[in-house]
Amino acid sequence: MKTQQINVDGMSCGHCVETIENAVMKMEGVSQVQVSLENKNVSVDFDENQTSLEDIKGKIVEVGFETL
Ligand SMILES: [Cu+2]
């Protein structure tokens, strides 16, 4: 299990937070997602054998945000 912080640009409200949480949480291998609107980052706990940081970033981009 690994925890990674991803900086995300483009979040403006609670709806954005929910969108990212729901999308990433549905990914296989992801066990926890914490989004901070204030800090513009997403903390993700995931199993490296099932998914990767790149996949998670890709999902965040897919739902309409920018990862840095
Ligand atoms: Cu929003």
Side-chain angles (χ1 to χ4, degrees):
M1 194 63 67
K2 196 173 184 175
T3 304
Q4 287 266 322
Q5 304 273 343
I6 303 166
N7 294 315
V8 176
D9 213 11
M11 295 191 289
S12 57
C13 69
H15 182 250
C16 299
V17 170
E18 243 174 76
T19 301
I20 293 175
E21 268 175 0
N22 291 340
V24 177
M25 203 59 214
K26 272 188 208 140
M27 295 178 73
E28 207 166 317
V30 173
S31 54
Q32 204 184 346
V33 184
Q34 257 184 313
V35 181
S36 169
L37 187 57
E38 276 177 27
N39 300 326
K40 293 185 177 180
N41 71 31
V42 178
S43 173
V44 188
D45 293 2
F46 63 99
D47 181 343
E48 293 157 281
N49 297 317
Q50 290 184 283
T51 189
S52 67
L53 183 60
E54 286 314 304
D55 284 350
I56 295 165
K57 283 184 174 181
K59 177 60 76 178
I60 293 171
V61 169
E62 194 185 298
V63 295
F65 301 91
E66 256 184 84
T67 60
L68 307 170

